[in-house]
Amino acid sequence: MSNPPMYGELAPLDREAHKNLKLDTAKAVVGQVADQNSVFLAAVEFADACREYPVVFVRAGEGADGKPQVAPLAVLGLKPGSNLFVDGDKWTGNYVPAYVRRYPFAMARLDGNANTLAVCIDSKWAGFNEATGEALFKDGEPTEFLQNARAFLENYEQEAERTRLICNLLVELDLLLDMRFEATLPGGEKIDVEGFLAVDEKKYSELADDKVLQLHRNGLIALIEMHRLSMTNMNRLAARYAA
């Protein structure tokens, strides 16, 4: 089982091994993402995220069918290892992506059982202990706190799968193009960000009517417009970096 960005070591939650485990929810988690300049963003989050983060796409390997896949990201910084929305233990943005909010929980496929998703925890997270906080189990059964966490994770996975299907359609229509962002800061420092994809404006404007209808019926027209609008936030990120 691989550890996604932000996580130290994922471990499947076990009602026996973790029967006395508690989570100190007062312990801030945003420090875990202080060195991440982007995080995965589900399509359902575009409306909130596009107001302050650039929403871009990146290549994400190949699917089971061998076709290329892409994934959307919220850009949080203009340099590797830099998150401009974390200040100590505070998140300074108005919207916190669900990828961050689910921590220290996650769902993952167990080794040797690719079809089964298990609730996992970051076993390295200092907020887990057996003394104080929200109990995960009581009398061998999940507490309401853990049930709510699981419901959040299940919804997150459903939205991630919906996002994957949406991105597959963007790839199928060949609507994404390699892009780069360049800026010169007031002090003369130059910033050059590349390695991301954005909607190809020319191809988008030349889409046949039946393809436009297909996008509309799949809810992509609104998502594309949110993505396009969000790209103006690159300049805001540069200003935040300069400040």
Side-chain angles (χ1 to χ4, degrees):
M1 187 186 338
S2 60
N3 298 313
M6 190 177 177
Y7 291 79
E9 185 174 331
L10 279 184
L13 202 54
D14 183 275
R15 69 179 63 209
E16 182 58 34
H18 300 123
K19 61 183 179 182
N20 297 320
L21 199 64
K22 294 180 172 62
L23 175 62
D24 181 0
T25 56
K27 192 170 181 62
V29 304
V30 297
Q32 292 293 108
V33 76
D35 61 351
Q36 301 292 322
N37 69 346
S38 63
V39 295
F40 171 79
L41 197 70
V44 71
E45 300 180 85
F46 279 28
D48 290 313
C50 74
R51 299 174 185 176
E52 55 187 331
Y53 313 120
V55 178
V56 304
F57 300 87
V58 294
R59 292 181 176 84
E62 295 182 347
D65 55 4
K67 295 181 179 180
Q69 292 191 316
V70 300
L73 299 178
V75 180
L76 307 172
L78 298 176
K79 291 189 173 183
S82 170
N83 185 335
L84 297 172
F85 293 91
V86 173
D87 182 9
D89 61 357
K90 305 283 188 186
W91 186 274
T92 60
N94 293 311
Y95 179 72
V96 183
Y99 183 95
V100 178
R101 284 185 280 126
R102 68 176 181 164
Y103 187 85
F105 298 98
M107 285 193 122
R109 287 176 172 80
L110 302 180
D111 294 334
N113 197 350
N115 295 321
T116 301
L117 282 172
V119 175
C120 299
I121 61 171
D122 183 354
S123 61
K124 298 295 186 181
W125 176 237
F128 285 118
N129 66 90
E130 295 189 357
T132 60
E134 295 281 357
L136 303 188
F137 295 99
K138 183 178 181 180
D139 300 327
E141 297 298 324
T143 60
E144 182 179 358
F145 173 78
L146 182 55
Q147 291 174 8
N148 290 338
R150 183 185 181 94
F152 182 90
L153 293 174
E154 289 174 344
N155 182 67
Y156 180 89
E157 293 300 322
Q158 291 170 1
E159 291 299 336
E161 175 61 17
R162 174 174 171 262
T163 302
R164 185 184 68 81
L165 296 175
I166 286 171
C167 288
N168 285 349
L169 183 54
L170 291 177
V171 172
E172 179 185 322
L173 294 174
D174 193 26
L175 281 180
L176 298 175
L177 179 70
D178 283 285
M179 300 287 283
R180 67 187 301 169
F181 171 75
E182 298 177 333
T184 300
L185 303 182
E189 180 182 356
K190 294 184 182 298
I191 291 179
D192 187 358
V193 182
E194 55 186 1
F196 66 91
L197 306 168
V199 166
D200 186 326
E201 297 289 345
K202 185 174 185 297
K203 289 183 178 179
Y204 184 46
S205 66
E206 294 174 352
L207 273 180
D209 290 350
D210 63 321
K211 298 300 183 184
V212 173
L213 181 59
Q214 183 182 11
L215 288 176
H216 172 69
R217 287 182 171 170
N218 284 278
L220 263 74
I221 294 292
L223 291 176
I224 288 174
E225 292 308 311
M226 292 173 197
H227 153 69
R228 295 171 73 197
L229 175 65
S230 80
M231 297 306 289
T232 62
N233 291 323
M234 280 292 193
N235 289 320
R236 294 190 179 96
L237 273 190
R240 181 181 281 255
Y241 173 79

